[in-house]
Amino acid sequence: MYSLGIESTADDFSVGIVSSDGEVLANIIDAYKSESGGIHPREAARHHADVAGKVIQRAFIEAGVTPKDIDIIAFSQGPGLGPCLRTGATAARALASYLNVPLVGVNHCVAHIEIGKLINRAEDPVTLYVSGGNTIVSAFEAGRYRIFGETLDIAVGNCLDVFAREAGLKMEEGKPPGRIVEEYASRGERYISLPYLVKGMDLSFSGLLTAAINLLREGRYKLEDVCFSFQEVAFSMLAEVTERALAHTEKTEVLLTGGVAANKRLQEMIRLIAEEHNARFCKVPKEYALDNGAMIAWTGILSYKCNITTPISKSYVKLKWRLDEVDVPWVEGEC
Ligand code: AMP
Ligand code: MG
């Protein structure tokens, strides 16, 4: 059985084709870029509409299958930016009705966890999912991926992106802003104290962002040192909450995923806490850690096997669809 998955929650439009035994046959990603570096939802949606046909076609060519071979169409139903989600959903509905196959609406955050588990052959990890739009520490318990900790304001990826822009870091084509901060940070030496905000199990990044920008405006510190300190504080906060979730659940795997998971310093910190608790550290390669269609296609298969499909009348997008609202019956092998 083959599933075609469409991802369009934010800046990326992506199409993946995956088989029911977990083989990824295609995973094509086309990212929207703006001059300012931010995401304008309607412009990103226009980008998605412009490239959709081409990306779907490329996925078929790469996978070596024809539309007739596809058994289900899966799409990112939320959470995400309304205009972007609606563009992906429209393409998915059109394909499903044209091919006369079931449609499966997938939760984007669940999909990040499922593809990470598939790639690492992990069974039951604590997951730290860090991206441009999400910052979540979660683990499976009683039928759902429960949220142990999350951001109370902005996502850590967004925090890095805004910082990079405000700090005027020199951007390079093809490199995400977080990666540029990482490069500057690797040349930093001096630690400067910045606001560290963990409230219970939740995190807050907006105070750190403001303080770091103010520090730069003072002009007393080297850019490299501010980037270094900024990363140390933001990532230590993430490590603290992940470690507490691990100690509490006593799980034996830690999965790090999302766009920010590409960061070497963050990987190092999470690897250390995993080792400390005798847990296996599971890393996700970039093409499956970033927003991608393969994760949607794969989660579509897991859902479909449990008889979860989405009738067209219920295929409206859910902008604030939380991870812990989704039943995941396949995790305990019920289907
Ligand atoms: P996503 O939302 O999953 O597509 O991921 C995009 C986010 O990942 C953006 O905020 C990027 O700046 C961030 N990102 C990508 N590479 C790195 C890196 N090496 N270090 C930190 N953040 C990164
Ligand atoms: Mg993205």
Side-chain angles (χ1 to χ4, degrees), residues 66-334:
T66 66
K68 280 201 313 296
D69 300 320
I70 299 296
D71 301 283
I72 56 173
I73 300 290
F75 72 105
S76 242
Q77 199 171 2
L81 305 171
C84 302
L85 283 168
R86 280 189 281 273
T87 307
T90 305
R93 281 184 212 111
L95 273 175
S97 21
Y98 177 70
L99 297 172
N100 197 22
V101 296
L103 185 65
V104 185
V106 165
N107 179 289
H108 175 86
C109 308
V110 170
H112 269 290
I113 297 174
E114 292 303 346
I115 196 82
K117 282 167 65 184
L118 174 73
I119 301 291
N120 283 284
R121 306 249 170 269
E123 282 182 3
D124 186 21
V126 164
T127 302
L128 171 59
Y129 162 37
V130 274
S131 69
N134 291 286
T135 304
I136 298 175
V137 176
S138 78
F140 179 81
E141 212 169 280
R144 292 185 179 183
Y145 289 116
R146 305 290 163 175
I147 297 178
F148 283 79
E150 62 190 321
T151 180
L152 296 168
D153 42 50
I154 51 173
V156 64
N158 186 21
C159 182
L160 285 163
D161 295 350
V162 175
F163 173 74
R165 214 156 52 226
E166 294 283 323
L169 302 189
K170 204 167 150 276
M171 293 298 153
E172 283 172 52
E173 177 71 27
K175 282 191 190 172
R179 166 96 185 273
I180 310 271
V181 175
E182 180 176 22
E183 288 175 3
Y184 275 83
S186 69
R187 296 190 296 271
E189 288 157 349
R190 180 170 167 207
Y191 178 76
I192 310 150
S193 180
L194 283 165
Y196 182 104
L197 254 147
V198 176
K199 297 183 182 185
M201 285 291 277
D202 290 330
L203 306 133
S204 163
F205 293 100
S206 60
L208 168 64
L209 177 60
T210 311
I213 292 166
N214 286 344
L215 210 62
L216 275 180
R217 296 212 170 115
E218 275 178 35
R220 278 198 295 146
Y221 301 102
K222 269 172 54 188
L223 193 51
E224 287 80 0
D225 290 340
V226 178
C227 290
F228 167 72
S229 310
F230 185 79
Q231 271 200 179
E232 288 303 297
V233 171
F235 297 165
S236 301
M237 287 162 55
L238 295 168
E240 177 186 332
V241 174
T242 308
E243 179 167 23
R244 226 177 299 125
L246 190 58
H248 174 77
T249 59
E250 298 184 334
K251 306 255 183 204
T252 55
E253 296 158 336
V254 183
L255 177 68
L256 174 61
T257 192
V260 183
N263 189 289
K264 294 278 185 303
R265 178 62 179 135
L266 178 60
Q267 289 176 10
E268 186 185 9
M269 283 193 196
I270 303 301
R271 180 189 299 281
L272 280 173
I273 61 150
E275 281 169 9
E276 194 120 321
H277 291 262
N278 295 318
R280 178 161 75 97
F281 174 61
C282 304
K283 216 167 77 171
V284 182
K286 218 159 45 187
E287 72 262 38
Y288 300 118
L290 286 167
D291 295 342
N292 67 90
M295 69 179 191
I296 304 300
W298 174 237
T299 310
I301 285 179
L302 295 172
S303 307
Y304 180 74
K305 282 185 179 165
C306 285
N307 296 320
I308 301 170
T309 58
T310 310
I312 301 266
S313 61
K314 295 225 169 90
S315 65
Y316 46 83
V317 298
K318 304 177 191 179
L319 276 56
K320 303 232 178 270
W321 196 14
R322 283 173 63 84
L323 172 66
D324 55 3
E325 287 168 7
V326 187
D327 288 327
V328 289
W330 58 83
V331 173
E332 284 183 317
E334 287 169 23

